[in-house]
């Protein structure tokens, strides 16, 4: 302990009177002894203050002597620094815990024997493990053979894939990462088991494989036809009439290949393009658009179907006309291809509680419920053999899905076997604009107000025939 000026003054204040008292009484020993006792008492009091502070160091120490106060201040500064550092560490640990709990993958720290040391929130979602399961044996809680082999280090590549023990429709992937090694025994002291849901990833990989197989098949068929005809054209004994006939037969497969490539390019553009900005949107006259696609559908049908057009709404849509034309035309074209001859096809544009609905209703064979959710996948076909006979690229509904998504809508399907299907989409009010009464509806002459119309190809009874 360093002597301060205050200590020296105090010592002189005690020695001076003691020496004077000893000179007066001729008892220097007793005078100095009394001064020493007083000095020791003062030091003991300061020590007691310091001891009391050390027991509960919450406030700043209050010693009277500077030498003792200096010691207490050093302790106070050290404790304050330690508190600040501990608070920072606790905050960082809490942040790390929050980050760990926000991860979508389950992270489980295990000992070398497989006991759970720590786990995050996702472990509950994927494996139903609770915080109270700490210190329990992980293989005993999740009795999955693949996971047990991974925990024991018996997985060949350090990772396994298995079906969730709680939901057969979910596939999980688990990996083992060593966290700490014991040099004495050359074994790990702790490991982290990372588990993630790969159901969607596997589905995407399967879709990619199916896409490659389908596109290869779709291109191989017309290419095989083209190669066969081209080889026949090089035969020397081929007369001009036969050669011209073969050249004419090259058109259908080349047209199919071109349609397939065009649809692929359109679908790629729709998937990779951002949502259209507000300044890119136009006011699309849906009534005129329906007239256009119905005209094309009649040409495709060749008189084999009856068309009924219901335009009960006078609302327009803010969007990209070419994309909406492509989506609506794909829905109507599918109805023509898959409806029996003579079957009615109804196209409607009418108000519903959620906005305005565009729908196409046919009287085809219907679609089984298990296929409806996958209709918008690329090249997905309910009846592959019949689809190839009917034509089409298998990309139409995928294009419809992405076009409607870019216009705040969604393709929905209702179907009954042997009765037909209805494909429809609803546009919210934020996408709509109602035409004024002074603007004529498509197909109406003069300046009569747009009140909605119903047009049918069926024989005239109560409705007019526009065929």
């Amino acid at each position: 302990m360093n002597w301060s000026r205050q200590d020296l003054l105090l010592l002189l204040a005690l020695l001076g009177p003691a020496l004077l008292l000893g000179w007066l009484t001729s008892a220097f020993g007793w005078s100095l002894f009394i001064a020493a006792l007083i000095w020791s008492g003062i030091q003991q009091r300061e020590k007691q203050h310091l001891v009391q502070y050390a027991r509960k160091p919450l406030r700043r120490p209050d010693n009277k002597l500077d030498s003792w106060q200096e010691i207490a201040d050093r302790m106070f500064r050290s404790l304050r620094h330690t508190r600040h550092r501990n608070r920072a560490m606790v905050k960082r640990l809490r942040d790390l815990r929050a980050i760990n709990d926000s991860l979508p993958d389950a992270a489980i720290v295990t000992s070398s024997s497989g006991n759970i040391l720590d786990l995050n929130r996702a472990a509950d979602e994927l494996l139903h493990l609770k915080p109270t399961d700490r210190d329990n044996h992980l293989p005993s809680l999740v009795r999955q053979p693949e996971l047990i082999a991974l925990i024991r280090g018996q997985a060949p590549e350090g990772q396994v894939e298995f079906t969730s023990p709680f939901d057969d429709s979910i596939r999980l992937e688990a990996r083992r990462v060593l966290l700490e090694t014991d040099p004495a025994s050359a074994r790990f002291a702790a490991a982290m088991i990372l588990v993630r849901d790969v159901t969607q990833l596997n589905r995407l990989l399967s879709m990619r494989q199916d896409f490659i197989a389908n596109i290869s098949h779709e291109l191989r068929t017309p290419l095989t036809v083209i190669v066969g005809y081209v080889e026949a054209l090089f035969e020397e004994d081929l007369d001009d009439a036969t050669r011209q006939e073969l050249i004419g037969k090259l058109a259908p497969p080349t047209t199919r290949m071109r349609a397939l490539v065009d649809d692929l390019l359109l679908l790629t553009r729709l998937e990779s393009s951002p949502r259209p900005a507000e300044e890119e949107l136009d006011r699309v006259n849906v009534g005129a658009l329906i007239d256009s696609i119905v005209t094309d559908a009649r040409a495709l049908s060749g008189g084999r179907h009856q068309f009924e057009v219901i335009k009960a709404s006078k609302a327009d849509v803010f969007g990209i006309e070419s994309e909406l034309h492509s989506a609506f035309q794909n829905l109507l074209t599918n109805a023509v291809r898959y409806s029996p001859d003579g079957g009615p096809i109804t196209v409607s544009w009418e108000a519903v509680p959620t906005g305005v609905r565009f729908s196409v209703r046919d009287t085809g064979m219907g679609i089984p419920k298990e296929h409806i959710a996958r209709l918008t996948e690329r090249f997905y076909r309910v009846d592959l053999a019949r689809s190839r006979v009917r034509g089409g690229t298998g990309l139409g509904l995928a294009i419809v899905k992405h076009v409607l998504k870019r216009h705040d809508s969604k393709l929905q399907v209702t179907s009954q076997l042997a009765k037909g299907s209805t494909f429809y989409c609803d546009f919210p009010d934020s996408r709509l604009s109602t035409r004024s009464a002074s603007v004529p509806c498509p197909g109406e002459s003069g300046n009569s107000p747009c009140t909605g119309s119903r047009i049918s190809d069926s024989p005239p009874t109560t409705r007019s025939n526009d065929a």
Side-chain angles (χ1 to χ4, degrees), residues 34-337:
I34 293 171
L37 286 178
I38 296 174
W39 174 265
S40 298
I42 294 174
Q43 299 300 322
Q44 184 63 29
R45 184 195 65 182
E46 294 297 308
K47 176 186 174 183
Q48 190 63 29
H49 285 172
L50 188 61
V51 170
Q52 291 177 357
Y53 165 73
R55 290 174 181 172
K56 196 174 182 181
L58 299 178
R59 297 180 180 179
R60 189 178 185 86
D62 185 18
N63 287 80
K64 304 302 180 182
L65 296 181
D66 293 342
S67 56
W68 288 95
Q69 183 66 29
E70 182 182 356
I71 297 174
D73 285 344
R74 288 180 181 178
M75 292 177 60
F76 177 74
R77 288 193 294 268
S78 177
L79 288 172
R80 184 174 59 181
H81 176 70
T82 302
R83 289 193 190 104
H84 289 169
R85 186 172 58 183
N86 289 343
R87 289 193 188 103
M89 292 179 63
V90 169
K91 182 179 183 301
R92 187 171 182 182
L93 287 174
R94 287 176 179 171
D95 292 341
L96 290 175
R97 169 65 68 181
I99 294 172
N100 193 30
D101 284 339
S102 65
L103 293 175
D105 299 344
I108 308 164
V109 181
T110 63
S111 64
S112 57
S113 59
N115 290 337
I116 299 175
L117 303 178
D118 197 8
L119 69 166
N120 65 350
R121 189 176 301 165
D124 181 17
E125 300 174 1
L126 296 180
L127 297 175
H128 294 190
L129 297 175
K130 308 294 183 183
T132 54
D133 291 327
R134 289 184 176 90
D135 298 329
N136 290 330
H137 199 227
L138 180 58
S140 300
L141 298 175
V142 184
R143 299 179 180 180
Q144 195 69 22
E146 296 87 350
L147 185 60
I148 294 175
L150 178 70
I151 296 171
R152 294 175 177 173
Q154 299 172 355
E157 298 181 358
Q159 67 179 42
V160 294
E161 185 174 320
F162 57 93
T163 302
S164 170
F166 309 102
D167 190 343
D168 293 339
S169 64
I170 296 178
R171 292 287 293 176
L172 301 177
E173 179 189 80
R175 289 181 295 159
R176 174 169 161 264
V177 180
L178 298 181
L179 298 180
E180 196 175 317
T181 304
D182 184 3
S185 60
R187 295 183 62 188
F188 73 92
M192 179 178 289
I193 307 298
L194 299 174
V195 183
R196 63 171 180 164
D197 186 348
V198 294
T199 306
Q200 183 66 13
L201 178 61
N202 287 351
R203 181 172 177 269
L204 292 175
L205 291 175
S206 177
M207 288 175 60
R208 185 178 69 175
Q209 294 172 353
D210 292 343
F211 170 74
I212 294 174
N214 285 326
I215 192 64
S216 301
H217 183 82
E218 294 287 346
L219 290 175
R220 182 177 59 187
T221 301
L223 280 174
T224 302
V225 176
I226 292 173
V227 170
Y229 287 149
V230 170
E231 290 176 351
L233 288 173
F234 283 100
E235 295 181 4
E236 297 181 357
D237 58 346
L238 195 66
D239 59 86
D240 291 341
T242 305
R243 183 175 286 107
Q244 291 297 325
E245 182 181 356
L246 291 177
I247 292 175
K249 290 182 178 180
L250 289 174
T254 54
T255 301
R256 175 171 175 75
M257 288 180 60
R258 180 176 179 178
L260 182 61
V261 172
D262 288 344
D263 282 352
L264 281 173
L265 292 175
L266 174 59
L267 187 56
T268 302
R269 180 179 65 81
L270 292 173
E271 289 179 336
S272 59
S273 299
R275 290 174 63 89
E278 186 175 349
E279 58 271 13
E280 297 177 343
L281 303 179
D282 297 321
R283 184 170 174 173
V284 180
N285 189 328
V286 180
L289 185 61
I290 291 176
D291 289 342
S292 175
I293 64 172
V294 169
T295 300
D296 295 339
R298 287 196 184 98
L300 177 65
S301 172
R304 294 180 291 109
H305 302 87
Q306 297 179 357
F307 293 87
E308 182 181 12
V309 180
I310 303 173
K311 291 184 286 185
S313 173
K314 53 185 178 181
D316 293 338
V317 173
F318 286 105
I320 299 178
E321 184 171 2
S322 59
E323 294 183 5
L324 291 175
H325 185 279
S326 175
F328 292 175
Q329 188 175 49
N330 273 313
L331 293 178
L332 188 53
T333 300
N334 282 347
V336 172
R337 286 176 176 153

Side-chain angles (χ1 to χ4, degrees), residues 402-414:
H402 288 283
V403 168
L404 295 180
K405 184 178 180 181
R406 286 164 55 85
H407 289 78
D408 298 331
S409 186
K410 179 182 179 181
L411 180 63
Q412 302 184 68
V413 183
T414 59

Side-chain angles (χ1 to χ4, degrees), residues 362-428:
D362 62 50
T363 54
M365 297 177 59
I367 304 169
K369 291 183 178 180
E370 62 270 19
H371 294 285
I372 291 179
R374 300 189 61 188
L375 288 177
T376 56
E377 294 180 12
R378 296 181 179 188
F379 298 111
Y380 186 81
R381 302 175 190 268
V382 178
D383 186 345
L384 185 60
R386 188 183 178 196
S387 298
R388 301 211 183 278
V389 174
R390 297 287 184 178
T393 62
L395 300 172
L397 293 182
I399 292 174
V400 172
K401 170 187 173 182
H402 288 283
V403 168
L404 295 180
K405 184 178 180 181
R406 286 164 55 85
H407 289 78
D408 298 331
S409 186
K410 179 182 179 181
L411 180 63
Q412 302 184 68
V413 183
T414 59
S415 183
Q416 290 184 339
L417 293 178
K419 292 185 178 181
S421 307
T422 300
F423 291 76
Y424 65 94
C425 55
D426 296 341
F427 293 91

